């Protein structure tokens, strides 16, 4: 690798470097200890230790080239190499292109300047694409060289950044270098002859946290596959931790969580990830979350500034954040003053051709067109209009609230660009007035921005989704009448139709979520206070930004926030966790709190106040309220003897929560309908409860919640993956002889191979089949190429010369539904027979591999490669004879997996599939088809190949020759009844040559004269004939019944999976 020319004092370097080559202008040196027997003794060990600790690859690369100028002790380092071949390429290039030119210069200074210019030009050309985005390209190139040298990972593995740190082995720190790349966390240390090399894949990380203890003031704890690793550093620990957190979460999303709404361009091409890109992305995500902006916004600039606040007459000091479409300001306090200014609302010119006018015109046109079918008023204004003539105390309080907001609007402005201050927060805590609720929900959630930039979108989606029929629409129809059934708005067609349109439109917009239970409850409340189109955009804001990943098949977002909630309970209510040690109680109780924002547990008139706070503060409001509820009921919960008693106590509390200021009539208020006899609790006002939650737990910051969410996400997804694995193992273990531990190891290897295929091949289609909503067995499936790799690692028959053909035929045998994919159950069934099968079972497997549908004649395109199949050949042969007509293929795919169709889950299809599998277990050997002569010859060749290298090789060859001769004689006797002449003897002599393949007769005779097979009448063998003949040969029986060290095979496969892909 070419290096930026730097001065080297050769006098001090002679003890560490040895001269290899030199000429008048350049010197090639080798690092002392490298390539020497014994590592160069004590000097070599010291040099190796220096190389591991010091921060310069020029010092650690084993070879380097220096440019020398006569009569000077100062040399310039211009190149380094990890091996002799690499450095010799550079040396040869210098001799051919530079050395011949240098004598024409008059002075040494001109020579040095020319060499420096040439080298810098080479570096600029070489790093034009690779290192342009790095802060220090030269230093990064050096680190990249060391990373490749130490770990030998494929070139596609993108190094993101690196840090100097200590890795703790017990209480002993090992100083070295931490490398963070797209798929791995790697550490390397070399101290006094002791080398430590650690590689952890991000998808295996289940826990990532910063900790402090007596020995370490602060360190990073990484837990992977049950093992804990600790890293500490003097500098950049926060930056390191954030980058590790991002990389781990991206790997988890990319490989495990395919249910996210939008395709993330970063996840689509992880090889483009850079340190700066990750930092910019983190800032943008924080910016969008804080100001509730669309996910597409990217933070461009941040400036410290002061904002003049006219109503308070002072300058608020803070930061101005600029993106493509917004200018935002937040004060240092955070709560003091926040402002969002969309560029669309900033008048640029008075020209009537302003594009914003076109947007407004289009919006108004769409409004007029869709007003005939869509509700343009909130349902509450239709079903509960405020009557000014009958003002009571509650209505007067409501009017006072409205007046307070109007005063705020007069001072701070109204709409998106209003000043958001502590006063606005206080007013939200008191409860937003009924008439302003829809408007302010839109404002605080950021949904107003989505609707403004997508005029007419909702009307279009409604029109496109009308009449669609799928699983989501069926579930929506089922739940429509269960959504706030006590409210008159949803006892009429007006409310039901609006709810149907909003839910169906969202399912059409976002098919990956479609419809999830709890969405109907939330949407029905949104429709009460917001217009229909506004309710749709509020639902979009909740599902896609404010509660990410809540409403999907695995409700990962809700599980993550439950884990955050449990962590907060441990921090703020330790006495409760001491009494209720099983934290799953809090998870089961709080799930509906998070999914429905307390709407399902609180009376509607109180729940809407919670929704007010949620749209203003986000998930923080729900977490704070949850803590306040547990704190309020602390004494009752501590007195409970079991979970059921605790649940009852909480339910009684929720029944006692009221909203004394609610203007709703008593007929609509759920809290007022609870009889005093039913509830022994003292009435609790929701406003007091919310105010108390802010006072006690207002110190919880959004940044802390974000960090806890990232930390918990790893744990939640890995727990779900572990559950999937345990369910798969439970099903598979019933059908195989492998132990549970062996199956566990095999599953890890199976899944890892799938991921390895995806690490460095972005276009790989296999993970597109990963759907967590499918049955456990169908979630991970491998193709033929991946199966071949695993076959080579695991099969006891992988030493055979035709192992690629055997792998192909085995895959075709297992792929019963012809979709070119096999699951773990199918994979483990074949491996189990090879490891633990009886003589008959192993022979039956080999027999099936040589008859259709598994067997297909393999013709190699490139004979020079022997029996090795290329990826293209493997793909072609695996798909051979599996193509079907379109209608049959579609029907077959639905039949093979009842959940793969878009319609309902077909229970009858599952029962039928289950019965088929039961019958397969009773597979009778008499039902196996006969093997014809070409298949039998290939079967014989396979046996010969399997025996190669065995200690009893000669006796095995003799035994198989005897068996084939016997079988052919039996067939000849049988055919004499039908044919007076037969030349089976000739063929017998060909196949049964006593010398076996070592004499080359079997293959050569058949290959030289293939007409033998065509001219002679066809003969065939039944499985019983072959089995009976082979059982007569003890050597053959011993070979197939020889025990296999399964543990050693699995361990070797685990270590070989990564090693086979590295350059080490």
């Amino acid at each position: 690798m070419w290096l930026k020319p730097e001065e080297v004092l050769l006098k001090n370097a002679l003890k560490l470097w040895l001269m290899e080559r030199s000429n008048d202008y350049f010197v090639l040196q080798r690092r002392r200890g490298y390539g020497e027997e014994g590592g160069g003794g004590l000097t070599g060990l010291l040099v190796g230790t220096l190389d591991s600790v010091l921060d310069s690859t020029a010092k650690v690369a084993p070879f380097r080239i220096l440019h020398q100028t006569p009569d000077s002790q100062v040399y310039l380092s211009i190149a380094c190499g990890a091996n002799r071949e690499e450095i010799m390429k550079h040396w040869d290039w210098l001799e051919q292109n530079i050395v011949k030119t240098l004598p024409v210069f008059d002075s040494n200074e001109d020579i040095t300047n020319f060499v420096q210019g040439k080298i810098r030009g080479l570096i600029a050309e070489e790093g034009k694409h690779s290192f342009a985005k790095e802060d220090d390209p030269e230093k990064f190139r050096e680190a990249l060289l060391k990373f490749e040298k130490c770990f030998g990972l494929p070139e596609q593995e993108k190094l993101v950044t690196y840090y100097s740190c200590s890795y703790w082995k017990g209480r002993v720190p090992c100083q070295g270098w931490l490398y963070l790349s797209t798929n791995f966390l790697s550490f390397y240390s070399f101290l006094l002859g002791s080398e430590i090399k650690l590689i952890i894949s991000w998808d295996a990380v289940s826990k990532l946290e910063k900790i402090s203890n007596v020995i370490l003031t602060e360190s990073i704890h990484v837990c992977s596959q049950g093992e804990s690793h600790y890293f500490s550093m003097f500098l950049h620990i926060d930056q390191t931790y954030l980058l590790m957190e991002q990389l781990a979460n991206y790997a988890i999303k990319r490989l495990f969580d395919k249910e996210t709404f939008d395709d993330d361009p970063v996840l689509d091409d992880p090889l483009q990830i850079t340190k700066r890109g990750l930092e910019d992305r983190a800032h943008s995500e924080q910016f969008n979350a804080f100001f509730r902006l669309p996910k597409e916004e990217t933070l461009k600039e941040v400036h410290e500034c002061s904002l003049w606040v006219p109503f308070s007459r002072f300058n608020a000091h803070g930061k101005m954040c600029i993106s493509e479409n917004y200018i935002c300001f937040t004060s240092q306090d955070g709560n003091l003053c926040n402002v969002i200014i969309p560029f669309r609302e900033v008048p640029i010119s008075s020209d009537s051709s302003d594009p914003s006018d076109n947007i407004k015109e289009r919006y108004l046109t769409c409004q007029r067109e869709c007003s005939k079918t869509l509700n343009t008023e909130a349902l509450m204004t239709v079903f509960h209009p405020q009557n000014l003539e009958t003002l009571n105390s509650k209505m007067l309080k409501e009017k006072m609230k409205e007046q307070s907001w109007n005063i705020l609007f007069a001072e701070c402005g109204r709409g998106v660009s209003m000043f958001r201050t502590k006063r606005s927060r206080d007013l939200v805590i008191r409860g937003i007035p009924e008439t302003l609720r829809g408007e302010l929900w839109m404002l605080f959630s950021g949904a107003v921005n989505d609707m403004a930039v997508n005029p007419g979108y909702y009307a279009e989606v409604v029109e496109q989704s009308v009449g669609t029929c799928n699983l989501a629409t069926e579930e929506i129809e089922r739940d429509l009448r269960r959504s706030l059934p006590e409210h008159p708005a949803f006892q009429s067609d007006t409310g039901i139709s609006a709810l149907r349109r909003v839910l169906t439109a969202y399912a059409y917009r976002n098919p990956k979520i479609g419809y999830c239970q709890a969405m109907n409850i939330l949407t029905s409340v949104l429709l009460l206070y917001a217009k229909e189109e506004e309710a749709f955009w509020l639902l979009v804001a909740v599902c896609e930004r404010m509660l990410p990943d809540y409403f999907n098949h695995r409700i990962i977002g809700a599980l993550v926030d439950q884990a955050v909630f449990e962590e907060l309970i441990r921090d703020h209510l330790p006495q409760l966790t001491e009494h209720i040690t099983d934290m799953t109680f809090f998870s089961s109780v709080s799930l509906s709190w998070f999914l429905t924002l307390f709407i399902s547990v609180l009376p509607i008139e109180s729940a809407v106040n919670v929704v007010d706070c949620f749209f203003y503060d986000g998930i923080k409001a729900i977490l704070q309220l949850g803590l306040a509820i547990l704190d309020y009921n602390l004494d009752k919960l501590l007195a409970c003897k079991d979970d059921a008693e605790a649940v009852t106590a909480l339910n009684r509390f929720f029944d006692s929560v009221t909203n004394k200021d609610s203007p709703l009539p008593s007929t609509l208020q759920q809290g007022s309908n609870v009889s005093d006899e039913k509830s022994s609790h003292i009435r609790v006002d929701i406003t007091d409860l919310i105010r108390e939650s802010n006072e006690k737990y207002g110190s919880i910051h959004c940044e802390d919640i974000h960090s806890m969410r990232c930390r918990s996400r790893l744990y939640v997804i890995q727990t779900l993956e572990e559950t999937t694995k345990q369910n798969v193992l439970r099903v598979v273990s019933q059908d195989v002889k492998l132990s549970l531990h062996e199956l566990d190891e095999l599953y890890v290897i199976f899944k890892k191979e799938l991921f390895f295929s995806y690490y460095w091949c972005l276009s790989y289609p296999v993970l597109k089949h990963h759907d967590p909503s499918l049955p456990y067995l169908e979630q991970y499936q491998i193709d033929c190429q991946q199966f071949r790799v695993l076959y080579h690692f695991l099969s006891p028959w992988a030493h055979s010369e035709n192992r690629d053909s055997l792998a192909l035929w085995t895959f075709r045998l297992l792929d019963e539904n012809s979709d070119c994919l096999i699951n773990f159950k199918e994979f483990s069934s074949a491996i189990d027979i090879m490891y633990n099968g009886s003589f008959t079972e192993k022979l039956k497997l080999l027999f099936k591999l040589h008859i259709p549908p598994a067997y297909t004649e393999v013709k190699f395109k490139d004979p020079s490669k022997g029996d090795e199949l290329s990826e293209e050949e493997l793909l072609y042969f695996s798909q051979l004879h599996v193509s079907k007509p379109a209608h049959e293929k579609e029907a077959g795919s639905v039949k093979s997996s009842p959940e793969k169709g878009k319609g309902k889950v077909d229970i009858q299809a599952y029962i039928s599939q289950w019965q088929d599998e039961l019958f397969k277990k009773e597979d009778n050997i008499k039902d196996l088809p006969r093997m014809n002569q070409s298949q039998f010859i290939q079967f014989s060749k396979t046996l010969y190949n399997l025996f190669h290298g065995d200690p009893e090789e000669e006796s095995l060859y003799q035994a198989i020759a005897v068996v084939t001769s016997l079988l052919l004689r039996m067939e000849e006797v049988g055919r004499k009844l039908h044919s007076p002449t037969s030349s089976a003897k000739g063929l017998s002599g060909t196949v049964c040559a006593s010398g076996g393949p070592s004499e080359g007769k079997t293959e050569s005779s058949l290959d030289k004269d293939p007409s033998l097979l065509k001219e002679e009448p066809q003969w065939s063998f039944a499985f019983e004939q072959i089995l009976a003949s082979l059982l007569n040969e003890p050597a053959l029986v011993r070979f197939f019944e020889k025990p296999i060290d399964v543990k050693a095979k699995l361990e070797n496969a685990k270590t070989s999976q990564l090693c086979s892909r590295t350059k080490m």
Side-chain angles (χ1 to χ4, degrees):
M1 181 177 77
W2 299 110
L3 299 174
K4 179 182 176 182
E6 290 184 355
E7 290 186 353
V8 175
L9 195 59
L10 198 62
K11 181 179 180 182
N12 297 333
L14 289 175
K15 295 177 182 178
L16 302 177
W17 294 91
L18 299 173
M19 187 86 68
E20 288 273 311
R21 294 192 179 196
S22 67
N23 56 39
D24 293 338
Y25 303 101
F26 300 101
V27 178
L28 190 156
Q29 295 180 328
R30 174 175 55 82
R31 190 73 163 166
R32 187 179 292 275
Y34 182 85
E36 299 177 22
E37 292 185 10
L42 179 60
T43 306
L45 289 178
L46 292 173
V47 171
T49 301
L50 282 172
D51 292 346
S52 176
V53 174
L54 294 179
D55 180 17
S56 173
T57 305
K59 298 170 186 169
V60 299
F63 294 95
R64 72 177 182 180
I65 297 175
L66 306 179
H67 167 56
Q68 62 178 346
T69 53
D71 305 323
S72 174
Q73 283 294 317
V74 179
Y75 284 53
L76 294 175
S77 64
I78 60 171
C80 65
N83 51 57
R84 194 178 299 275
E85 292 75 17
E86 181 184 354
I87 204 70
M88 285 308 298
K89 287 181 182 177
H90 288 50
W91 180 263
D92 293 341
W93 187 89
L94 289 171
E95 287 193 327
Q96 293 170 14
N97 297 280
I98 302 294
V99 173
K100 296 176 183 177
T101 308
L102 296 181
V104 302
F105 291 98
D106 296 331
S107 67
N108 291 336
E109 186 178 349
D110 291 341
I111 291 174
T112 302
N113 290 337
F114 176 78
V115 171
Q116 285 182 323
K118 272 288 184 184
I119 300 303
R120 286 196 175 98
L122 290 170
I123 291 172
E125 187 64 31
E126 185 184 82
K128 188 181 294 181
H129 306 293
S130 304
F131 314 107
K133 296 180 181 179
E134 303 302 333
D135 295 329
D136 189 344
E138 189 62 36
K139 216 170 182 183
F140 190 82
R141 291 172 77 253
E142 295 178 3
L144 180 62
L145 178 71
K146 186 174 179 182
F147 173 67
E148 293 175 346
K149 171 177 173 279
C150 292
F151 302 102
L153 295 169
E155 292 179 4
Q156 300 93 327
E157 181 63 21
K158 176 78 166 59
L159 177 64
V160 176
T161 189
Y162 62 100
Y163 297 100
S164 173
C165 81
S166 293
Y167 173 65
W168 290 78
K169 293 189 72 176
R171 295 188 177 184
V172 181
C174 302
Q175 184 65 30
W177 289 92
L178 179 70
Y179 298 92
L180 308 181
S181 58
T182 48
N183 297 298
F184 298 98
L185 178 158
S186 310
F187 176 82
Y188 183 80
S189 172
F190 183 88
L191 293 172
L192 300 177
S194 175
E195 184 182 52
I196 298 175
K197 190 182 293 185
L198 183 70
I199 301 179
I200 302 171
S201 59
W202 290 119
D203 56 82
V205 174
S206 58
K207 196 171 188 179
L208 184 63
E209 59 182 351
K210 276 196 301 183
I211 61 168
S212 299
N213 55 36
V214 178
I215 300 174
L216 302 174
T217 53
E218 202 170 25
S219 64
I220 298 173
H221 172 213
V222 180
C223 185
S224 170
Q225 295 178 342
E227 294 184 13
S228 289
H229 308 274
Y230 297 90
F231 302 91
S232 64
M233 54 192 68
F234 292 112
L235 302 171
H236 312 302
I237 189 163
D238 291 329
Q239 183 189 70
T240 307
Y241 175 73
L242 288 174
L243 286 171
M244 291 168 72
E245 193 175 65
Q246 281 183 291
L247 288 167
N249 272 292
Y250 287 160
I252 291 292
K253 281 186 180 179
R254 195 168 76 243
L255 300 175
F256 296 136
D257 185 15
K258 307 295 283 185
E259 294 181 273
T260 48
F261 175 57
D262 287 320
D263 289 329
D264 192 324
V266 175
L267 300 185
D268 283 348
D269 190 3
L271 303 186
Q272 298 303 315
I273 291 176
T274 62
K275 177 186 172 186
R276 184 181 298 176
L278 288 173
E279 290 171 346
D280 291 345
R281 182 183 175 87
H283 293 149
S284 293
E285 287 177 351
Q286 189 177 2
F287 165 71
N288 292 338
F290 185 82
F291 292 106
R292 305 283 160 70
L293 300 179
K295 290 191 299 183
E296 298 76 24
E297 287 300 307
T298 304
L299 181 62
K300 297 296 185 184
E301 297 178 40
V302 179
H303 301 283
E304 288 197 8
C305 69
S306 295
L307 177 69
W308 173 249
V309 184
F311 53 87
S312 299
R313 296 187 174 279
F314 76 96
N315 282 310
H317 187 68
K319 291 182 178 179
M320 178 175 66
C321 307
I322 304 172
S323 67
E324 297 98 327
N325 301 300
Y326 298 87
I327 297 177
C328 303
F329 173 85
T330 180
S331 60
Q332 279 185 336
D333 185 338
N335 295 325
L336 186 63
C337 180
N338 295 323
V339 178
I340 301 170
I341 306 173
F343 286 139
R344 66 176 183 272
E345 294 198 356
V346 178
I348 298 174
S349 68
S350 58
D351 187 359
S352 61
S353 63
D354 191 349
S356 63
D357 293 337
N358 296 332
I359 292 176
K360 289 176 182 176
E361 284 178 22
R362 182 182 164 205
Y363 177 67
L364 292 172
T365 305
C366 291
Q367 282 290 89
R368 285 194 293 271
E369 289 175 356
C370 67
S371 62
K372 297 176 184 177
T373 55
L374 306 183
N375 289 348
T376 55
E377 295 294 334
L379 293 178
M380 194 61 81
T381 60
V382 177
F383 288 90
H384 179 232
Q386 292 188 5
N387 190 350
L388 299 178
E389 296 178 0
T390 59
L391 285 175
N392 53 30
S393 60
K394 290 186 176 181
M395 289 299 295
L396 284 172
K397 284 186 179 180
E398 187 76 1
K399 287 299 173 186
M400 289 171 64
K401 283 185 184 179
E402 287 182 33
Q403 188 61 26
S404 299
W405 278 98
N406 288 329
I407 292 170
L408 183 74
F409 291 149
E411 292 181 354
C412 303
R414 188 167 186 168
V416 185
S417 303
M418 72 178 287
F419 286 83
R420 305 176 195 204
T421 63
K422 190 175 184 300
R423 281 178 62 198
S424 53
R425 175 188 294 277
D426 292 339
L427 290 176
V428 169
I429 290 172
R430 286 171 53 189
I432 298 174
E434 304 270 307
T435 54
L436 296 174
R437 193 160 262 143
E439 175 189 345
L440 293 176
W441 283 359
M442 289 288 290
L443 182 65
F444 296 142
S445 68
V448 64
N449 296 313
D450 294 323
M451 192 169 83
V453 297
N454 293 286
Y457 175 86
Y458 176 62
E460 292 173 8
V461 174
V462 168
E463 186 178 346
Q464 292 166 357
S465 62
V466 166
T468 55
C469 184
N470 50 41
L471 187 59
T473 57
E474 289 181 13
E475 290 179 347
I476 289 169
E477 288 297 326
R478 186 185 62 211
D479 288 346
L480 283 177
R481 308 257 172 207
R482 303 176 187 173
S483 311
L484 296 187
E486 67 285 344
H487 200 285
F490 299 101
Q491 295 168 2
S492 70
D493 288 340
T494 305
I496 293 293
S497 298
L499 183 59
R500 178 187 292 113
R501 284 193 294 270
V502 172
L503 291 174
T504 306
Y506 187 77
Y508 183 85
R509 163 189 166 85
N510 190 346
K512 289 189 179 178
I513 291 179
Y515 172 76
C516 184
Q517 281 191 339
M519 286 172 69
N520 61 316
I521 298 172
L522 176 61
T523 308
S524 59
V525 173
L526 298 178
L527 282 166
L528 287 178
Y529 296 99
K531 298 172 185 177
E532 188 176 321
E533 183 177 11
E534 292 174 343
F536 171 79
W537 287 113
L538 284 168
L539 184 63
V540 169
V542 171
C543 293
E544 296 172 18
R545 285 191 283 111
M546 301 187 73
L547 296 179
D549 298 338
Y550 261 59
F551 302 99
N552 55 29
H553 294 289
R554 297 193 291 179
I555 55 170
I556 287 174
L559 296 176
V560 167
D561 282 344
Q562 281 185 301
V564 172
F565 187 51
E566 289 174 11
E567 189 173 341
L568 290 172
I569 294 171
R570 281 191 287 267
D571 293 341
H572 295 277
L573 300 170
Q575 63 272 49
L576 187 59
T577 55
E578 288 172 9
H579 178 70
I580 305 177
T581 54
D582 186 5
M583 297 300 286
T584 56
F585 163 75
F586 300 106
S587 299
S588 59
V589 168
S590 64
L591 182 60
S592 61
W593 302 359
F594 291 102
L595 283 174
T596 65
L597 308 179
F598 284 96
I599 295 169
S600 63
V601 293
L602 285 175
I604 183 65
E605 67 276 8
S606 301
V608 291
N609 284 34
V610 178
V611 179
D612 293 341
C613 297
F614 168 74
F615 280 127
Y616 193 88
D617 273 332
I619 194 62
K620 174 185 171 184
I622 306 299
L623 293 168
Q624 287 178 177
L625 184 60
L627 290 172
I629 289 169
L630 294 178
D631 188 23
Y632 191 92
N633 293 277
L634 186 60
D635 294 337
K636 291 185 176 66
L637 291 173
L638 291 176
C640 292
K641 297 177 181 178
D642 54 37
D643 292 353
E645 197 175 336
V647 171
T648 304
L650 286 173
N651 287 338
R652 284 178 179 167
F653 168 77
F654 287 130
D655 289 338
S656 69
V657 176
T658 62
N659 186 352
K660 62 186 179 184
D661 296 333
S662 174
L664 291 177
S666 58
T667 54
L668 296 180
Q669 292 193 30
Q670 298 170 350
S672 63
N673 296 331
V674 180
S675 62
D676 293 333
E677 291 80 9
K678 183 179 177 182
S679 176
S680 60
H681 282 73
I682 301 170
R683 294 292 184 187
V684 182
D685 186 66
I686 187 64
T687 306
D688 297 335
L689 193 61
I690 291 173
R691 185 179 291 111
E692 186 178 338
S693 73
N694 272 274
E695 290 171 357
K696 281 193 172 183
Y697 306 108
S699 59
I700 299 172
H701 297 293
C702 295
E703 294 80 6
D704 298 331
I705 293 173
H706 174 74
S707 179
M708 285 190 280
R709 272 179 159 179
C710 290
R711 196 161 58 239
S712 300
R713 188 180 188 87
L714 291 173
Y715 170 76
V716 166
I717 292 184
Q718 293 288 12
T719 302
L720 291 172
E721 288 297 311
E722 181 65 23
T723 302
T724 298
K725 180 177 80 171
Q726 294 305 325
N727 280 291
V728 169
L729 298 186
R730 190 179 67 251
V731 171
V732 173
S733 62
Q734 300 171 6
D735 300 325
V736 297
K737 297 174 185 175
L738 291 166
S739 69
L740 269 177
H741 176 71
E742 291 167 346
L743 269 181
D744 191 302
E745 295 284 306
L746 191 62
Y747 183 86
V748 170
I749 294 167
F750 176 88
K751 189 168 150 187
K752 200 69 186 173
E753 184 59 37
L754 187 64
F755 288 171
F756 273 137
S757 304
Y758 196 61
Y759 282 169
W760 305 293
C761 186
L762 301 178
S763 60
Y764 220 80
V766 175
L767 275 184
K768 292 179 181 177
H769 297 279
H770 174 49
D771 183 354
S773 65
L774 290 178
Y776 292 118
L777 280 171
E778 305 297 327
Q779 289 187 20
Y780 292 110
Q781 301 180 87
I782 58 173
D783 66 5
C784 194
Q785 169 61 20
Q786 294 158 341
F787 178 80
R788 171 172 67 173
V789 175
L790 291 176
Y791 186 90
H792 288 179
F793 289 149
L794 294 166
S795 174
W797 304 336
H799 63 276
S800 171
E801 286 184 12
N802 66 333
R803 63 179 186 171
D804 277 4
S805 298
L806 282 175
L808 169 67
W809 297 332
T810 308
F811 180 85
R812 286 169 58 89
L813 177 67
L814 299 175
D815 182 23
E816 295 180 359
N817 60 358
S818 302
D819 63 350
C820 297
L821 294 169
I822 62 170
N823 60 37
F824 180 71
K825 184 178 182 181
E826 295 161 338
F827 171 76
S828 59
S829 66
I831 297 296
D832 182 60
I833 292 174
M834 295 178 197
Y835 286 168
N836 301 316
S838 63
F839 175 79
T840 304
E841 289 170 334
K842 290 179 180 178
L843 193 64
K844 185 165 70 172
L845 175 61
L846 279 171
F847 184 88
K848 285 182 176 180
L849 296 184
H850 293 81
I851 58 174
Y855 179 76
T856 181
E857 189 176 354
V858 178
K859 296 180 179 178
F860 298 93
K861 294 180 182 177
D862 187 0
S864 63
K865 291 185 178 181
D867 290 338
E868 185 179 340
L869 287 168
S870 66
E871 284 192 32
E872 294 78 13
E873 289 172 325
L874 198 66
L875 180 65
Y876 169 75
F877 288 123
S878 68
Q879 295 174 340
L880 207 60
H881 304 308
V882 299
S883 59
K884 300 178 182 179
H887 64 281
E888 287 184 21
K889 189 183 292 184
E890 186 177 347
S893 64
V894 174
K895 180 180 177 182
S896 64
S897 182
E899 284 195 15
K900 286 184 181 178
K902 291 186 177 180
K904 275 187 173 179
V905 176
D906 190 345
I907 303 299
Q908 292 298 326
Y910 267 128
I911 294 173
S912 175
Q913 188 174 330
W914 176 65
Q915 288 177 333
D916 291 344
E917 289 179 358
L918 284 180
F919 287 131
K920 281 176 194 171
K921 290 181 184 178
E922 304 299 325
D923 192 9
N924 197 326
I925 59 174
K926 293 182 179 178
D927 299 330
L928 291 172
R930 295 175 69 85
M931 181 182 282
N932 66 32
Q933 60 190 42
S934 63
Q935 294 161 1
F936 178 73
I937 291 171
Q938 183 58 58
F939 176 75
S940 302
K941 288 182 180 180
T942 297
L943 290 177
Y944 279 126
N945 287 327
L946 289 180
F947 302 150
H948 183 66
D950 191 89
E952 295 186 65
E953 183 176 354
E954 285 301 321
S955 59
L956 287 167
Y957 284 156
Q958 293 291 342
I960 197 65
V962 170
V963 168
T964 51
S965 176
L966 176 63
L967 285 168
L968 288 169
R969 288 196 195 99
M970 289 167 56
E971 180 63 19
E972 181 182 6
V973 170
R975 283 195 301 114
K976 280 183 179 179
L977 298 174
H978 305 284
S979 175
T981 59
S982 174
S983 59
K985 289 180 181 178
L987 197 55
S988 170
T990 303
V991 178
C992 309
S994 59
S998 56
E999 295 184 13
K1001 296 181 182 179
T1002 305
E1003 288 85 351
S1004 60
S1005 302
L1006 292 169
D1007 292 340
K1008 288 179 182 177
D1009 193 5
S1011 60
L1012 280 172
L1013 301 179
K1014 297 179 182 177
E1015 293 174 1
E1016 298 302 325
Q1018 287 290 317
W1019 42 265
S1020 62
F1021 297 111
F1023 175 72
E1024 300 99 304
Q1025 292 176 291
I1026 296 175
L1027 175 63
S1029 303
L1030 291 174
L1031 280 171
N1032 287 326
E1033 297 296 328
L1036 292 173
V1037 176
R1038 282 197 304 272
F1039 176 83
F1040 282 107
E1041 290 189 343
K1042 188 166 32 178
I1044 297 170
D1045 188 347
V1046 179
K1047 183 179 178 181
K1049 272 282 185 185
L1050 294 173
E1051 284 298 323
N1052 180 63
K1054 285 176 72 174
T1055 55
S1056 302
Q1057 272 187 299
L1058 183 59
C1059 294
S1060 65
R1061 291 170 166 86
T1062 64
K1063 295 173 278 187
M1064 301 301 287

